[in-house]
Amino acid sequence: MPRLTIDTAYLTEQLKALLTIPSPTGYTDTVVRHVAKELERLGLKVELTRRGAISALRQGSRRASARAVVSHLDTLGAQVKRLKENGRLELVPIGHWSARFAEGARCMIFSDAGTYRGTILPLKASGHTYNEEVDSLPVGWPYVEMRVDALSRDLKELTRLGIDVGDTVAIDPQPEFLDNGFIVSRHLDNKAGVAVMLAAIKAMEDAGISTPVDTHWLFTIAEEVGVGAASILTPDIASMIAVDNGTSAPGQNSAEFGVTIAMADQTGPFDYHLTKKLVRLCQDEDIRYQKDIFRYYRSDSASALEAGHDVRTALITFGIDASHGYERIHMHALRSLSELITAYLTSPVEIERDRNFHAGLQGFTRQPDVEAAQELASDTNPAE
């Protein structure tokens, strides 16, 4: 089947829209509504869990051994830890990210009284006051505070605003979409993955493509705190591909171009057969790709496996520079991911045994163990 055309203008439009919606873990209702309505507009049947994880079904030729694609809607953020005597707020992070990237961030706090704007600043922010001490302050969340853009010169005035311990703080993304294809913003992890999935759905709907099995498009709401797809998987799903970011950094093989296929993360190797199939599809469809392993990383699939789901999992990523900070990606990777997703979902099911929850040995997969052929040099002249 010819490779489907991905509408990159639509992908960009959706990513821009997603980035405008604050969605730190625990404050995701608005982004859930946005994505659910877009999925319905594209023609999919949408269901939500109690807390708001989305499952959108696109029917295929059969239900058994269904496939799933998953991204997460939640992002990093912060919460109010303490109201301080100087009228500012002590914060703790939502998700794992460095206070180094919090310093100077513009942000919004959601209180019972409404939203307030503010800035996260180091405790010693004024060079005119602290001189060289502004450069010697340690890095860490105890060394930053949120300055609220409202009358809050002391604890009494701060309390009057209605701000309280536990209130959620969303960090401004400050996105830039450059003409050369680079995109710079916070929260590309994983708003970009969501946009990739929406673009893949649109391409399949526009082309009227049928698939051999049902496809479950899953969008989770708490991946940044370690809760992924465990609560939304159904028993008929035999394989699941997570779409997330791959870390482009020294010592890593990820790239900001093409698809980066993860071979393992900190939870262990991904499914051998599913990962091999994705590599083969990249080769067959002439989709640029590279492989990588992530040592300090877990994706939506981790919680599903830890919860005991018997599902094949794989992770495909867009290379991202400075993950969990001011992130940078390239449109080439996003388009490549959408192309791979559509190629996978339209490909034949190769492991028919997976349609059964339990079965005998017949039809079980095989992993190669044949010794590799080698061209050996002469015993008398090893250099030959």
Side-chain angles (χ1 to χ4, degrees):
M1 178 179 293
R3 189 164 61 185
L4 296 186
T5 300
I6 304 302
D7 187 343
T8 55
Y10 171 81
L11 197 161
T12 302
E13 170 192 318
Q14 287 301 314
L15 179 52
K16 287 181 176 179
L18 289 163
L19 288 170
T20 65
I21 303 172
S23 59
T25 306
Y27 214 90
T28 54
D29 288 1
T30 302
V31 74
V32 166
R33 290 180 181 277
H34 170 85
V35 173
K37 289 178 181 178
E38 182 60 20
L39 290 167
E40 290 176 339
R41 192 189 70 80
L42 290 170
L44 274 61
K45 178 185 177 182
V46 175
E47 291 184 345
L48 307 182
T49 65
R50 290 185 180 89
R51 296 196 301 147
I54 302 173
S55 177
L57 177 66
R58 190 178 191 274
Q59 289 189 332
S61 299
R62 74 179 190 213
R63 180 183 181 188
S65 64
R67 292 164 169 167
V69 185
V70 60
S71 286
H72 63 92
L73 299 170
D74 61 310
T75 69
L76 304 167
Q79 278 184 291
V80 176
K81 171 68 169 63
R82 180 170 65 93
L83 279 63
K84 302 177 67 173
E85 290 72 16
N86 63 355
R88 301 191 177 190
L89 302 172
E90 180 182 343
L91 304 176
V92 292
I94 295 175
H96 180 71
W97 61 296
S98 173
R100 186 188 305 275
F101 287 110
E103 293 181 2
R106 291 287 290 163
C107 53
M108 178 184 297
I109 184 169
F110 297 94
S111 77
D112 287 344
T115 63
Y116 294 98
R117 299 287 294 161
T119 307
I120 301 176
L121 296 170
L123 299 184
K124 297 181 179 180
S126 172
H128 291 102
T129 299
Y130 299 106
N131 198 7
E132 295 179 357
E133 291 182 55
V134 298
D135 295 318
S136 60
L137 191 70
V139 174
W141 288 93
Y143 305 103
V144 297
E145 60 188 5
M146 179 177 173
R147 180 187 66 195
V148 183
D149 295 335
L151 191 60
S152 57
R153 295 167 295 184
D154 53 37
L155 180 58
K156 185 177 181 180
E157 290 181 343
L158 182 62
T159 303
R160 285 177 184 163
L161 297 177
I163 296 171
D164 206 348
V165 172
D167 287 347
T168 300
V169 176
I171 311 302
D172 287 7
Q174 297 179 269
E176 290 186 49
F177 289 74
L178 306 181
D179 293 339
N180 60 11
F182 280 109
I183 304 166
V184 181
S185 179
R186 297 179 191 260
H187 310 321
L188 295 172
D189 171 16
N190 195 24
K191 300 291 179 77
V194 176
V196 161
M197 287 174 58
L198 292 174
I201 295 170
K202 183 177 185 297
M204 296 176 70
E205 291 297 313
D206 288 349
I209 294 296
S210 61
T211 58
V213 294
D214 287 355
T215 303
H216 296 255
W217 301 87
L218 309 179
F219 301 86
T220 64
I221 57 170
E223 190 272 349
E224 292 293 2
V225 295
V227 181
S231 64
I232 201 169
L233 283 181
T234 55
D236 54 305
I237 296 175
S239 62
M240 179 177 67
I241 294 176
V243 184
D244 214 320
N245 73 92
T247 59
S248 301
Q252 297 291 151
N253 200 44
S254 299
E256 292 172 273
F257 301 89
V259 176
T260 299
I261 299 176
M263 306 305 293
D265 65 7
Q266 69 184 49
T267 63
F270 290 101
D271 183 78
Y272 176 90
H273 301 283
L274 180 55
T275 301
K276 287 290 185 183
K277 178 168 185 173
L278 293 172
V279 171
R280 188 171 67 252
L281 285 170
C282 285
Q283 295 168 343
D284 294 344
E285 300 293 331
D286 194 25
I287 299 172
R288 177 174 172 175
Y289 78 97
Q290 50 276 327
K291 303 176 184 178
D292 208 350
I293 286 178
F294 307 128
R295 293 176 296 175
Y296 310 112
Y297 184 116
R298 53 181 281 140
S299 66
D300 274 295
S301 64
S303 66
L305 296 177
E306 290 166 353
H309 287 280
D310 184 24
V311 60
R312 299 186 188 276
T313 63
L315 171 63
I316 58 176
T317 74
F318 47 93
I320 192 166
D321 189 80
S323 59
H324 286 196
Y326 280 108
E327 300 167 334
R328 190 183 74 175
I329 60 177
H330 197 278
M331 179 57 69
H332 184 277
L334 304 187
R335 186 185 74 242
S336 300
L337 281 165
S338 292
E339 290 171 344
L340 178 56
I341 291 170
T342 57
Y344 169 66
L345 294 178
T346 56
S347 67
V349 174
E350 297 173 358
I351 308 175
E352 284 294 340
R353 184 181 178 278
D354 280 358
R355 67 192 302 171
N356 303 307
F357 300 141
H358 295 91
L361 191 59
Q362 184 176 359
F364 187 60
T365 53
R366 292 180 181 272
Q367 294 169 322
D369 58 0
V370 177
E371 184 177 352
Q374 303 178 58
E375 293 186 10
L376 301 178
S378 168
D379 290 340
T380 57
N381 186 0
E384 290 182 3

